[in-house]
């Protein structure tokens, strides 16, 4: 277990807060035969209790009970830990990913092939944080467009004037550069039904190419989400509302969204696959997402996205908030493409 603390190349700001430094805990599992696997336990505004100190404490508490357990039972171990530690979903996900990787390595299995080996490339969006800094927008968005990014996920905060200003500036920057682009909006739970519909109408009236609105309402506002899903002119994609298959079943039964953002960092391997299956069976859209994490964690999401080829939207951009290499093992980074 080790801490990873890295400065971000740009301040990451959402409706929930902002950070200039990322902090994760990397957990490594070693099997009796020598095989190893690593997973990442990130920290996030969404789960303030799951900070680095508490993550380390939880892992230390569980370490003795994990010794001698078969890594092939990563799903069962993760299920027990999720019940024991409901406030630590990202820590459990990091542990499961480490167990899963150690088991795959011991079995001579490849991650991408285990997920299905369906595609060898994906194109990610890139996030534009909440800001009022026009010079930053010109620099960040212009740089991303120059690197081949065509999809921009804009963090909005529920304040109509700020949100309209930011969307306008991103649009004008890209249009002035002659870049063909699509936008996505991410509310991080900052909106009401009324304010979300108002912003949807604004971008529609302006003719902006916005293809979805992610998590506009509070994660547990099921009535509001149901109303919004029935009225919004844009698909409503849920993130913080869905951490588990049980959450997904609730969304399906209540018809409270049009799709879901699946992150291995929050749901782990087994629950992520279960959520994919449920969403697919009910005709819902799928987004592959991430937290602010290094390639230790992000690579699992990339393998899932390419291996399954199940996703309609790819939001695997955390590495672009860090100083990074062009290649990590078999994964290469070419602008917006993995």
């Amino acid at each position: 277990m080790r801490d990873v603390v890295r400065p971000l190349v740009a301040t990451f700001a959402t409706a929930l807060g902002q950070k200039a430094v990322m902090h994760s805990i990397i957990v490594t599992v070693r099997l009796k035969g020598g095989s190893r696997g690593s997973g990442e336990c990130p920290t996030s505004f969404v789960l303030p209790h799951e900070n680095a100190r508490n993550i380390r404490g939880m892992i230390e508490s569980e370490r003795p009970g994990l010794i001698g357990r078969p890594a092939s039972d990563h799903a069962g171990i993760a299920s027990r830990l999720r019940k024991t530690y409901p406030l630590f979903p990202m820590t459990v996900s990091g542990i499961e990913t480490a167990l899963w990787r150690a088991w795959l390595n011991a079995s001579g299995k490849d991650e991408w092939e285990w997920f299905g080996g369906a595609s060898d490339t994906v194109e990610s969006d890139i996030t534009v944080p909440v800001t009022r800094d026009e010079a930053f927008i010109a620099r960040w968005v212009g740089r991303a467009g120059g690197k081949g990014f065509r999809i921009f996920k804009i963090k909005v905060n529920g304040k109509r004037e700020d949100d309209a200003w930011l969307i306008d500036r991103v649009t004008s920057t890209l249009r002035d550069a002659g870049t063909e682009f699509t936008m996505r909006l991410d509310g991080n739970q900052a909106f009401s039904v009324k304010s979300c519909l108002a912003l949807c109408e604004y971008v529609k009236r302006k003719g902006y190419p916005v293809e979805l609105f992610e998590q506009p309402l509070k994660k547990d506002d099921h009535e509001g989400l149901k109303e919004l899903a029935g009225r919004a002119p844009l698909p409503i994609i849920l993130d913080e509302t869905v951490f588990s298959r049980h959450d997904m079943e609730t969304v399906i039964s209540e018809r409270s969204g049009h799709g879901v953002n699946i992150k291995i960092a929050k749901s782990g391997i087994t629950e992520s696959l279960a959520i994919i299956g449920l969403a697919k069976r009910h005709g819902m859209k799928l987004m592959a997402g991430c937290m602010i994490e290094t390639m230790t964690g992000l690579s699992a999401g990339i393998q899932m996205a390419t291996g399954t080829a199940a996703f309609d939207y790819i939001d695997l951009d955390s590495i672009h908030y860090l100083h990074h290499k062009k290649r990590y093992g078999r994964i290469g980074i070419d602008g917006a493409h993995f």
Side-chain angles (χ1 to χ4, degrees):
M1 177 170 55
R2 63 184 175 89
D3 287 64
V4 175
V5 180
R6 293 187 185 175
L8 302 181
V9 298
T11 298
F12 186 78
T14 77
L16 296 173
Q18 66 179 37
K19 64 169 73 174
V21 175
M22 65 140 289
H23 192 170
S24 290
I25 304 297
I26 306 298
V27 57
T28 299
V29 168
R30 185 178 69 249
L31 304 187
K32 187 176 181 180
S35 296
R36 292 172 177 259
S38 293
E40 184 165 355
C41 310
T43 56
S44 170
F45 308 127
V46 178
L47 298 163
H49 174 79
E50 203 168 6
N51 56 46
R53 180 177 62 84
N54 289 341
I55 290 170
R56 288 193 298 269
M58 184 276 214
I59 294 172
E60 287 292 351
S61 177
E62 283 299 313
R63 187 199 303 268
L66 291 174
I67 294 173
R69 295 289 302 276
S72 58
D73 187 31
H74 61 88
I77 293 169
S79 178
R80 179 186 67 79
L81 291 175
R82 289 191 192 283
K83 292 174 183 175
T84 306
Y85 298 95
L87 297 179
F88 289 82
M90 296 188 297
T91 308
V92 175
S93 298
I95 292 171
E96 185 189 11
T97 300
L99 289 164
W100 169 73
R101 282 176 161 160
W103 168 65
L104 287 180
N105 289 335
S107 306
K109 298 178 180 179
D110 177 80
E111 291 181 29
W112 176 71
E113 291 176 350
W114 186 86
F115 276 118
S119 174
D120 62 4
T121 184
V122 289
E123 178 184 357
S124 178
D125 63 19
I126 192 162
T127 300
V128 180
V130 171
T131 184
R132 268 283 195 170
D133 185 339
E134 193 160 2
F136 168 78
I137 294 172
R139 185 170 63 253
W140 182 254
V141 173
R143 176 173 171 267
K147 289 192 170 188
F149 282 92
R150 303 179 301 168
I151 309 167
F152 295 80
K153 187 166 91 162
I154 302 175
K155 295 286 189 179
V156 286
N157 65 8
K159 299 175 183 177
R160 174 64 182 275
E161 184 178 337
D162 288 348
D163 293 338
W165 184 90
L166 179 56
I167 296 167
D168 289 347
R169 292 304 180 278
V170 171
T171 300
S172 62
T173 299
L174 291 168
R175 285 179 174 172
D176 289 348
T179 303
E180 293 186 12
F181 65 97
T182 301
M183 292 188 290
R184 299 165 180 171
L185 305 181
D186 187 359
N188 289 111
Q189 309 181 65
F191 288 74
S192 65
V193 171
K194 182 179 179 180
S195 62
C196 178
L197 290 173
L199 189 58
C200 287
E201 290 304 323
Y202 176 78
V203 298
K204 287 291 185 182
R205 186 170 68 251
K206 297 282 282 189
Y208 292 157
V210 178
E211 63 179 351
L212 61 83
F213 205 132
E214 185 180 347
Q215 197 66 52
L217 308 189
K218 295 293 184 184
K219 63 182 181 180
D220 55 357
D221 184 4
H222 297 289
E223 285 300 316
L225 287 167
K226 182 177 180 179
E227 179 184 355
L228 195 56
R231 296 178 60 191
L234 295 171
I236 302 300
I237 308 299
L238 303 178
D239 180 4
E240 293 95 330
T241 295
V242 179
F243 276 71
S244 68
R245 72 185 78 192
H246 173 72
D247 295 337
M248 191 73 238
E249 288 166 350
T250 300
V251 167
I252 290 167
S253 66
E254 297 187 357
R255 299 180 181 179
S256 53
H258 304 108
V260 60
N261 186 342
I262 297 173
K263 301 175 180 177
I264 286 181
K266 68 178 181 180
S267 302
I269 306 299
T270 310
E271 289 296 297
S272 291
L273 291 175
I275 295 167
I276 290 172
L278 285 166
K280 280 292 190 183
R281 285 198 294 275
H282 291 85
M284 298 183 72
K285 296 289 187 180
L286 289 173
M287 175 184 282
C290 60
M291 302 295 188
I292 294 294
E293 53 192 303
T294 70
M295 281 297 285
T296 298
L298 186 67
S299 58
I302 295 168
Q303 304 284 19
M304 178 178 68
T306 52
T308 64
F311 293 88
D312 304 283
Y313 315 114
I314 305 297
D315 176 35
L316 297 171
D317 65 336
S318 67
I319 195 64
H320 296 285
Y321 272 83
L322 300 169
H323 297 285
H324 62 274
K325 300 180 293 186
K326 294 287 188 180
R327 176 162 294 278
Y328 294 82
R330 293 176 59 189
I331 298 174
I333 303 173
D334 181 14
H337 295 85
F338 294 107

